[in-house]
Amino acid sequence: MDRQILQLLQEGATTITNLLLKRYKRLSLSDEEMMLIIHLLSFQQEGNRFPTLSQLEERLSMPGIRLIQSLQKLTKEDWIAIDEIVDPENGKRYEQYNLQPLYYKLNRLLLEEQSFVVPVSESFPSPRLDTDGGEHPESLYSQFEQSFGRPLSSIEIETMQCWVEQDRYSEELIMTALREAQSVGKLYIRYIDRILLEWTRQKITTVEEARNYSLRFRRPSMQR
């Protein structure tokens, strides 16, 4: 037993910042993607900066095809990069995973959190109406996709489902938060989520209350 414990201790540990563990959900990374990143970190700290697919498959409980898709997604969306390195001694070229883009995104999120103030809108557009005067709401997802100019990711859809099913936000209030984010050019699900959270903390449940709350921030600048 003592030898087994000694062997466990000699295996070492993988160092990962708690900031990333606490905020990867806010970064719209899935649990599976985060676990892949943790293993890439582990390999790096063991001295292997470009593990093969076989080496990753030995540690991760996901099919090879999904592993490839996850790596491609993380690379395409600039979470990780693949650098080509030239050995100055022998001129050989080799590749390595670069996780700096992930930390740039984490740093940007932290800066946004530190400076976050619910953006102010002077007025909010009212819901679209039919010719007979009744409301004609489009699909919530469709309206977000139109505003984002792209299809929603699975994480974004899951977040929106939580807004409706768990948080019980009305569609009207969600659309109001979308317009708030749109007005300052911050069309990110996590930014819209923080707007809704701030309104929840202020016990705001209607568009009119949100308008009044925002106008309170505008009055000081209007009086200067």
Side-chain angles (χ1 to χ4, degrees), residues 40 43-44 47-53 55-56 81-83 94-98:
L40 290 177
F43 273 111
Q44 282 192 355
N48 183 353
R49 304 189 68 83
F50 198 71
T52 65
L53 289 175
Q55 289 172 324
L56 288 169
I82 299 177
D83 296 339
Y94 61 94
E95 294 178 321
Q96 66 178 29
Y97 287 110
N98 181 352

Side-chain angles (χ1 to χ4, degrees), residues 94-145:
Y94 61 94
E95 294 178 321
Q96 66 178 29
Y97 287 110
N98 181 352
L99 273 66
Q100 279 191 342
L102 170 67
Y103 292 109
Y104 288 141
K105 288 178 182 284
L106 178 60
N107 181 62
R108 189 160 60 242
L109 174 62
L110 293 174
L111 290 174
E112 286 179 7
E113 289 178 348
Q114 291 169 5
S115 62
F116 174 69
V117 177
V118 176
V120 178
S121 290
E122 194 158 6
S123 63
F124 303 106
S126 57
R128 294 178 59 184
L129 301 178
D130 280 330
T131 54
D132 60 2
E135 284 192 12
H136 180 61
E138 298 177 354
S139 163
L140 195 60
Y141 299 127
S142 297
Q143 292 181 77
F144 267 70
E145 288 181 339

Side-chain angles (χ1 to χ4, degrees), residues 191-216:
Y191 191 80
I192 297 168
D193 187 46
R194 292 207 305 278
I195 292 174
L196 291 167
L197 285 172
E198 173 65 15
W199 288 347
T200 297
R201 284 194 290 267
Q202 300 298 326
K203 302 188 185 311
I204 291 170
T205 58
T206 68
V207 171
E208 183 179 0
E209 290 171 344
R211 182 192 299 114
N212 292 336
Y213 180 71
S214 294
L215 287 175
R216 287 202 297 272

Side-chain angles (χ1 to χ4, degrees), residues 51-64:
T52 65
L53 289 175
S54 297
Q55 289 172 324
L56 288 169
E57 282 182 300
E58 287 177 2
R59 299 191 182 184
L60 288 157
S61 58
M62 69 172 76

